[in-house]
mmCIF file of all heavy atoms in Angstrom:
data_model
loop_
_atom_site.group_PDB
_atom_site.id
_atom_site.type_symbol
_atom_site.label_atom_id
_atom_site.label_comp_id
_atom_site.label_asym_id
_atom_site.label_seq_id
_atom_site.Cartn_x
_atom_site.Cartn_y
_atom_site.Cartn_z
ATOM 1 N N ALA A 1 0.898 -1.127 0.000
ATOM 2 C CA ALA A 1 0.024 0.004 -0.025
ATOM 3 C C ALA A 1 0.908 1.224 -0.017
ATOM 4 O O ALA A 1 1.921 1.288 0.681
ATOM 5 C CB ALA A 1 -0.856 -0.026 1.211
ATOM 6 N N ILE A 2 0.524 2.218 -0.741
ATOM 7 C CA ILE A 2 1.305 3.484 -0.786
ATOM 8 C C ILE A 2 0.381 4.559 -0.222
ATOM 9 O O ILE A 2 -0.644 4.893 -0.840
ATOM 10 C CB ILE A 2 1.780 3.800 -2.178
ATOM 11 C CG1 ILE A 2 2.692 2.732 -2.721
ATOM 12 C CG2 ILE A 2 2.569 5.193 -2.174
ATOM 13 C CD1 ILE A 2 3.125 2.900 -4.213
ATOM 14 N N TYR A 3 0.794 5.090 0.964
ATOM 15 C CA TYR A 3 0.070 6.167 1.553
ATOM 16 C C TYR A 3 0.777 7.483 1.323
ATOM 17 O O TYR A 3 1.923 7.437 0.873
ATOM 18 C CB TYR A 3 -0.105 5.937 3.063
ATOM 19 C CG TYR A 3 -0.914 4.750 3.388
ATOM 20 C CD1 TYR A 3 -0.245 3.637 3.997
ATOM 21 C CD2 TYR A 3 -2.198 4.612 3.065
ATOM 22 C CE1 TYR A 3 -1.005 2.499 4.289
ATOM 23 C CE2 TYR A 3 -2.917 3.487 3.349
ATOM 24 C CZ TYR A 3 -2.354 2.388 3.938
ATOM 25 O OH TYR A 3 -3.056 1.332 4.256
ATOM 26 N N MET A 4 0.155 8.527 1.612
ATOM 27 C CA MET A 4 0.837 9.917 1.579
ATOM 28 C C MET A 4 1.016 10.418 2.980
ATOM 29 O O MET A 4 0.093 10.533 3.702
ATOM 30 C CB MET A 4 -0.001 10.918 0.761
ATOM 31 C CG MET A 4 -0.152 10.499 -0.706
ATOM 32 S SD MET A 4 1.357 10.238 -1.576
ATOM 33 C CE MET A 4 1.868 11.924 -1.901
ATOM 34 N N LYS A 5 2.251 10.753 3.302
ATOM 35 C CA LYS A 5 2.671 11.190 4.643
ATOM 36 C C LYS A 5 2.884 12.627 4.681
ATOM 37 O O LYS A 5 3.821 13.133 3.896
ATOM 38 C CB LYS A 5 3.836 10.409 5.122
ATOM 39 C CG LYS A 5 4.361 10.675 6.557
ATOM 40 C CD LYS A 5 5.481 9.720 6.770
ATOM 41 C CE LYS A 5 6.040 10.015 8.217
ATOM 42 N NZ LYS A 5 7.181 9.136 8.529
ATOM 43 N N PRO A 6 2.147 13.487 5.408
ATOM 44 C CA PRO A 6 2.406 14.919 5.449
ATOM 45 C C PRO A 6 3.788 15.267 6.076
ATOM 46 O O PRO A 6 4.171 14.657 7.066
ATOM 47 C CB PRO A 6 1.254 15.471 6.236
ATOM 48 C CG PRO A 6 0.779 14.326 7.006
ATOM 49 C CD PRO A 6 1.120 13.018 6.316
ATOM 50 N N GLY A 7 4.405 16.275 5.568
ATOM 51 C CA GLY A 7 5.620 16.818 6.137
ATOM 52 C C GLY A 7 5.372 18.141 6.854
ATOM 53 O O GLY A 7 4.226 18.520 7.144
ATOM 54 N N THR A 8 6.396 18.945 7.123
ATOM 55 C CA THR A 8 6.227 20.163 7.837
ATOM 56 C C THR A 8 5.751 21.207 6.902
ATOM 57 O O THR A 8 6.293 21.478 5.810
ATOM 58 C CB THR A 8 7.618 20.579 8.412
ATOM 59 O OG1 THR A 8 8.127 19.541 9.271
ATOM 60 C CG2 THR A 8 7.492 21.948 9.164
ATOM 61 N N ALA A 9 4.651 21.904 7.247
ATOM 62 C CA ALA A 9 4.049 22.947 6.489
ATOM 63 C C ALA A 9 4.849 24.184 6.416
ATOM 64 O O ALA A 9 5.580 24.469 7.397
ATOM 65 C CB ALA A 9 2.604 23.212 7.005
ATOM 66 N N VAL A 10 4.743 24.924 5.337
ATOM 67 C CA VAL A 10 5.328 26.238 5.204
ATOM 68 C C VAL A 10 4.249 27.274 4.995
ATOM 69 O O VAL A 10 3.390 27.164 4.129
ATOM 70 C CB VAL A 10 6.294 26.278 4.003
ATOM 71 C CG1 VAL A 10 6.911 27.662 3.713
ATOM 72 C CG2 VAL A 10 7.343 25.212 4.099
ATOM 73 N N THR A 11 4.271 28.289 5.837
ATOM 74 C CA THR A 11 3.218 29.325 5.801
ATOM 75 C C THR A 11 3.702 30.642 5.209
ATOM 76 O O THR A 11 4.707 31.132 5.619
ATOM 77 C CB THR A 11 2.653 29.584 7.240
ATOM 78 O OG1 THR A 11 2.201 28.365 7.798
ATOM 79 C CG2 THR A 11 1.579 30.628 7.243
ATOM 80 N N PHE A 12 2.910 31.109 4.218
ATOM 81 C CA PHE A 12 3.204 32.361 3.565
ATOM 82 C C PHE A 12 2.232 33.369 4.117
ATOM 83 O O PHE A 12 1.029 33.266 3.810
ATOM 84 C CB PHE A 12 2.993 32.204 2.032
ATOM 85 C CG PHE A 12 3.978 31.347 1.251
ATOM 86 C CD1 PHE A 12 4.055 30.029 1.430
ATOM 87 C CD2 PHE A 12 4.918 31.968 0.430
ATOM 88 C CE1 PHE A 12 4.969 29.195 0.805
ATOM 89 C CE2 PHE A 12 5.835 31.192 -0.254
ATOM 90 C CZ PHE A 12 5.902 29.889 -0.089
ATOM 91 N N THR A 13 2.747 34.382 4.880
ATOM 92 C CA THR A 13 1.859 35.386 5.473
ATOM 93 C C THR A 13 2.689 36.573 5.814
ATOM 94 O O THR A 13 3.936 36.506 5.701
ATOM 95 C CB THR A 13 1.148 34.779 6.714
ATOM 96 O OG1 THR A 13 0.179 35.703 7.179
ATOM 97 C CG2 THR A 13 2.141 34.516 7.927
ATOM 98 N N LYS A 14 2.060 37.651 6.291
ATOM 99 C CA LYS A 14 2.733 38.917 6.523
ATOM 100 C C LYS A 14 3.832 38.831 7.571
ATOM 101 O O LYS A 14 4.919 39.302 7.509
ATOM 102 C CB LYS A 14 1.795 40.045 6.802
ATOM 103 C CG LYS A 14 2.472 41.414 6.939
ATOM 104 C CD LYS A 14 1.547 42.550 7.085
ATOM 105 C CE LYS A 14 2.212 43.838 7.199
ATOM 106 N NZ LYS A 14 1.344 44.917 7.257
ATOM 107 N N SER A 15 3.505 38.192 8.740
ATOM 108 C CA SER A 15 4.414 38.086 9.839
ATOM 109 C C SER A 15 4.148 36.790 10.596
ATOM 110 O O SER A 15 3.037 36.352 10.642
ATOM 111 C CB SER A 15 4.421 39.269 10.735
ATOM 112 O OG SER A 15 3.138 39.471 11.317
ATOM 113 N N GLY A 16 5.188 36.275 11.245
ATOM 114 C CA GLY A 16 4.984 35.107 12.040
ATOM 115 C C GLY A 16 4.934 33.796 11.322
ATOM 116 O O GLY A 16 4.772 32.718 11.985
ATOM 117 N N GLY A 17 5.100 33.850 10.058
ATOM 118 C CA GLY A 17 5.061 32.595 9.243
ATOM 119 C C GLY A 17 6.483 32.286 8.837
ATOM 120 O O GLY A 17 7.455 32.673 9.439
ATOM 121 N N ASP A 18 6.642 31.477 7.755
ATOM 122 C CA ASP A 18 7.987 31.014 7.217
ATOM 123 C C ASP A 18 8.456 31.969 6.088
ATOM 124 O O ASP A 18 9.623 32.143 5.961
ATOM 125 C CB ASP A 18 7.865 29.587 6.767
ATOM 126 C CG ASP A 18 7.392 28.717 7.877
ATOM 127 O OD1 ASP A 18 8.123 28.524 8.828
ATOM 128 O OD2 ASP A 18 6.244 28.204 7.787
ATOM 129 N N VAL A 19 7.503 32.464 5.272
ATOM 130 C CA VAL A 19 7.793 33.255 4.124
ATOM 131 C C VAL A 19 6.922 34.503 4.165
ATOM 132 O O VAL A 19 5.741 34.355 4.242
ATOM 133 C CB VAL A 19 7.630 32.464 2.757
ATOM 134 C CG1 VAL A 19 8.014 33.355 1.554
ATOM 135 C CG2 VAL A 19 8.423 31.177 2.786
ATOM 136 N N THR A 20 7.531 35.671 3.985
ATOM 137 C CA THR A 20 6.768 36.920 3.969
ATOM 138 C C THR A 20 5.934 37.036 2.807
ATOM 139 O O THR A 20 6.391 36.944 1.606
ATOM 140 C CB THR A 20 7.699 38.165 4.140
ATOM 141 O OG1 THR A 20 8.486 37.945 5.284
ATOM 142 C CG2 THR A 20 6.881 39.404 4.310
ATOM 143 N N PHE A 21 4.628 37.334 2.909
ATOM 144 C CA PHE A 21 3.701 37.433 1.854
ATOM 145 C C PHE A 21 2.579 38.403 2.452
ATOM 146 O O PHE A 21 1.767 38.031 3.247
ATOM 147 C CB PHE A 21 3.074 36.133 1.490
ATOM 148 C CG PHE A 21 2.337 36.043 0.222
ATOM 149 C CD1 PHE A 21 2.443 37.045 -0.716
ATOM 150 C CD2 PHE A 21 1.597 34.953 -0.071
ATOM 151 C CE1 PHE A 21 1.831 36.974 -2.007
ATOM 152 C CE2 PHE A 21 0.968 34.855 -1.292
ATOM 153 C CZ PHE A 21 1.023 35.854 -2.260
ATOM 154 N N THR A 22 2.553 39.660 2.065
ATOM 155 C CA THR A 22 1.739 40.712 2.591
ATOM 156 C C THR A 22 0.360 40.652 1.894
ATOM 157 O O THR A 22 0.112 41.219 0.865
ATOM 158 C CB THR A 22 2.368 42.084 2.445
ATOM 159 O OG1 THR A 22 3.662 42.030 2.970
ATOM 160 C CG2 THR A 22 1.517 43.163 3.079
ATOM 161 N N LEU A 23 -0.521 39.856 2.514
ATOM 162 C CA LEU A 23 -1.895 39.654 1.941
ATOM 163 C C LEU A 23 -2.896 40.458 2.825
ATOM 164 O O LEU A 23 -3.842 39.974 3.332
ATOM 165 C CB LEU A 23 -2.224 38.199 1.950
ATOM 166 C CG LEU A 23 -1.449 37.353 1.004
ATOM 167 C CD1 LEU A 23 -1.822 35.874 1.239
ATOM 168 C CD2 LEU A 23 -1.597 37.762 -0.397
ATOM 169 N N ASP A 24 -2.670 41.772 2.935
ATOM 170 C CA ASP A 24 -3.635 42.594 3.688
ATOM 171 C C ASP A 24 -4.080 43.732 2.787
ATOM 172 O O ASP A 24 -4.220 43.544 1.596
ATOM 173 C CB ASP A 24 -3.130 43.036 5.020
ATOM 174 C CG ASP A 24 -1.750 43.759 4.934
ATOM 175 O OD1 ASP A 24 -1.418 44.252 3.837
ATOM 176 O OD2 ASP A 24 -1.110 43.885 5.925
ATOM 177 N N ASP A 25 -4.274 44.863 3.310
ATOM 178 C CA ASP A 25 -4.847 46.055 2.592
ATOM 179 C C ASP A 25 -3.991 46.449 1.365
ATOM 180 O O ASP A 25 -4.385 47.329 0.661
ATOM 181 C CB ASP A 25 -5.196 47.211 3.493
ATOM 182 C CG ASP A 25 -3.961 47.763 4.128
ATOM 183 O OD1 ASP A 25 -2.891 47.088 4.137
ATOM 184 O OD2 ASP A 25 -4.098 48.842 4.694
ATOM 185 N N THR A 26 -2.844 45.895 1.170
ATOM 186 C CA THR A 26 -2.013 46.248 0.006
ATOM 187 C C THR A 26 -2.641 45.607 -1.228
ATOM 188 O O THR A 26 -2.300 46.001 -2.353
ATOM 189 C CB THR A 26 -0.557 45.896 0.185
ATOM 190 O OG1 THR A 26 -0.511 44.395 0.317
ATOM 191 C CG2 THR A 26 0.133 46.551 1.364
ATOM 192 N N VAL A 27 -3.374 44.596 -1.062
ATOM 193 C CA VAL A 27 -3.976 43.874 -2.224
ATOM 194 C C VAL A 27 -5.419 44.469 -2.483
ATOM 195 O O VAL A 27 -6.370 43.890 -1.988
ATOM 196 C CB VAL A 27 -4.005 42.371 -2.036
ATOM 197 C CG1 VAL A 27 -4.527 41.637 -3.249
ATOM 198 C CG2 VAL A 27 -2.635 41.795 -1.601
ATOM 199 N N ASP A 28 -5.444 45.525 -3.195
ATOM 200 C CA ASP A 28 -6.662 46.176 -3.495
ATOM 201 C C ASP A 28 -7.394 45.480 -4.600
ATOM 202 O O ASP A 28 -6.824 44.627 -5.291
ATOM 203 C CB ASP A 28 -6.409 47.630 -3.951
ATOM 204 C CG ASP A 28 -5.813 48.491 -2.785
ATOM 205 O OD1 ASP A 28 -6.021 48.165 -1.635
ATOM 206 O OD2 ASP A 28 -5.091 49.435 -3.169
ATOM 207 N N LEU A 29 -8.679 45.793 -4.865
ATOM 208 C CA LEU A 29 -9.384 45.185 -5.981
ATOM 209 C C LEU A 29 -8.635 45.525 -7.234
ATOM 210 O O LEU A 29 -8.152 46.582 -7.395
ATOM 211 C CB LEU A 29 -10.799 45.600 -5.980
ATOM 212 C CG LEU A 29 -11.088 47.113 -6.182
ATOM 213 C CD1 LEU A 29 -11.568 47.423 -7.655
ATOM 214 C CD2 LEU A 29 -12.155 47.557 -5.219
ATOM 215 N N GLY A 30 -8.468 44.494 -8.091
ATOM 216 C CA GLY A 30 -7.721 44.645 -9.336
ATOM 217 C C GLY A 30 -6.250 44.818 -9.172
ATOM 218 O O GLY A 30 -5.636 45.325 -10.065
ATOM 219 N N ASP A 31 -5.709 44.348 -8.032
ATOM 220 C CA ASP A 31 -4.225 44.307 -7.860
ATOM 221 C C ASP A 31 -3.776 42.983 -7.326
ATOM 222 O O ASP A 31 -4.675 42.153 -6.966
ATOM 223 C CB ASP A 31 -3.834 45.273 -6.714
ATOM 224 C CG ASP A 31 -3.825 46.780 -7.150
ATOM 225 O OD1 ASP A 31 -3.755 46.985 -8.405
ATOM 226 O OD2 ASP A 31 -3.907 47.697 -6.379
ATOM 227 N N GLY A 32 -2.478 42.762 -7.369
ATOM 228 C CA GLY A 32 -1.964 41.484 -6.941
ATOM 229 C C GLY A 32 -0.724 41.732 -5.995
ATOM 230 O O GLY A 32 -0.321 42.844 -5.740
ATOM 231 N N GLN A 33 -0.229 40.568 -5.560
ATOM 232 C CA GLN A 33 0.931 40.650 -4.600
ATOM 233 C C GLN A 33 1.776 39.371 -4.837
ATOM 234 O O GLN A 33 1.166 38.301 -5.128
ATOM 235 C CB GLN A 33 0.449 40.638 -3.160
ATOM 236 C CG GLN A 33 1.499 40.856 -2.109
ATOM 237 C CD GLN A 33 1.958 42.282 -1.994
ATOM 238 O OE1 GLN A 33 1.310 43.162 -2.462
ATOM 239 N NE2 GLN A 33 3.113 42.476 -1.259
ATOM 240 N N VAL A 34 3.057 39.537 -4.774
ATOM 241 C CA VAL A 34 3.936 38.346 -4.881
ATOM 242 C C VAL A 34 4.654 38.198 -3.548
ATOM 243 O O VAL A 34 4.894 39.159 -2.812
ATOM 244 C CB VAL A 34 4.951 38.492 -6.072
ATOM 245 C CG1 VAL A 34 5.923 39.623 -5.772
ATOM 246 C CG2 VAL A 34 5.658 37.209 -6.323
ATOM 247 N N SER A 35 4.938 36.988 -3.199
ATOM 248 C CA SER A 35 5.618 36.627 -1.961
ATOM 249 C C SER A 35 7.112 36.808 -2.051
ATOM 250 O O SER A 35 7.628 36.861 -3.176
ATOM 251 C CB SER A 35 5.311 35.192 -1.501
ATOM 252 O OG SER A 35 6.011 34.284 -2.387
ATOM 253 N N ASN A 36 7.755 36.782 -0.833
ATOM 254 C CA ASN A 36 9.247 36.658 -0.903
ATOM 255 C C ASN A 36 9.527 35.210 -1.503
ATOM 256 O O ASN A 36 8.641 34.378 -1.492
ATOM 257 C CB ASN A 36 9.812 36.718 0.506
ATOM 258 C CG ASN A 36 10.183 38.169 0.876
ATOM 259 O OD1 ASN A 36 10.343 39.031 0.000
ATOM 260 N ND2 ASN A 36 10.314 38.418 2.169
ATOM 261 N N GLN A 37 10.752 35.032 -1.887
ATOM 262 C CA GLN A 37 11.157 33.702 -2.442
ATOM 263 C C GLN A 37 11.390 32.757 -1.305
ATOM 264 O O GLN A 37 12.082 33.033 -0.338
ATOM 265 C CB GLN A 37 12.398 33.907 -3.302
ATOM 266 C CG GLN A 37 12.587 32.729 -4.205
ATOM 267 C CD GLN A 37 13.667 33.152 -5.274
ATOM 268 O OE1 GLN A 37 14.795 33.346 -4.948
ATOM 269 N NE2 GLN A 37 13.186 33.177 -6.511
ATOM 270 N N TRP A 38 10.927 31.484 -1.495
ATOM 271 C CA TRP A 38 11.148 30.366 -0.576
ATOM 272 C C TRP A 38 12.171 29.506 -1.194
ATOM 273 O O TRP A 38 12.027 28.977 -2.298
ATOM 274 C CB TRP A 38 9.776 29.628 -0.370
ATOM 275 C CG TRP A 38 9.954 28.374 0.434
ATOM 276 C CD1 TRP A 38 10.712 28.150 1.526
ATOM 277 C CD2 TRP A 38 9.262 27.180 0.224
ATOM 278 N NE1 TRP A 38 10.572 26.882 2.058
ATOM 279 C CE2 TRP A 38 9.662 26.254 1.239
ATOM 280 C CE3 TRP A 38 8.285 26.797 -0.754
ATOM 281 C CZ2 TRP A 38 9.189 24.952 1.245
ATOM 282 C CZ3 TRP A 38 7.823 25.491 -0.702
ATOM 283 C CH2 TRP A 38 8.268 24.565 0.305
ATOM 284 N N ASP A 39 13.258 29.238 -0.497
ATOM 285 C CA ASP A 39 14.294 28.300 -0.875
ATOM 286 C C ASP A 39 13.979 26.928 -0.254
ATOM 287 O O ASP A 39 14.091 26.772 0.973
ATOM 288 C CB ASP A 39 15.662 28.805 -0.490
ATOM 289 C CG ASP A 39 16.804 27.887 -0.886
ATOM 290 O OD1 ASP A 39 16.551 26.756 -1.412
ATOM 291 O OD2 ASP A 39 17.924 28.275 -0.635
#
């Protein structure tokens, strides 16, 4: 049987996560945002 085993999650968020991704009021209607790069 081949199961899928979860690993350690990586969180993209403004602060307190693993990768900075500002998903708050900077993302206005009709705008986008890109995250910092995750290695």
Side-chain angles (χ1 to χ4, degrees):
I2 302 176
Y3 298 115
M4 297 303 284
K5 183 177 180 179
T8 303
V10 176
T11 302
F12 290 71
T13 191
K14 184 172 182 178
S15 62
D18 302 292
V19 181
T20 305
F21 196 13
T22 307
L23 294 174
D24 56 18
D25 62 344
T26 60
V27 186
D28 298 334
L29 61 104
D31 282 340
Q33 187 79 12
V34 68
S35 72
N36 271 343
Q37 195 167 67
W38 172 42
D39 182 353

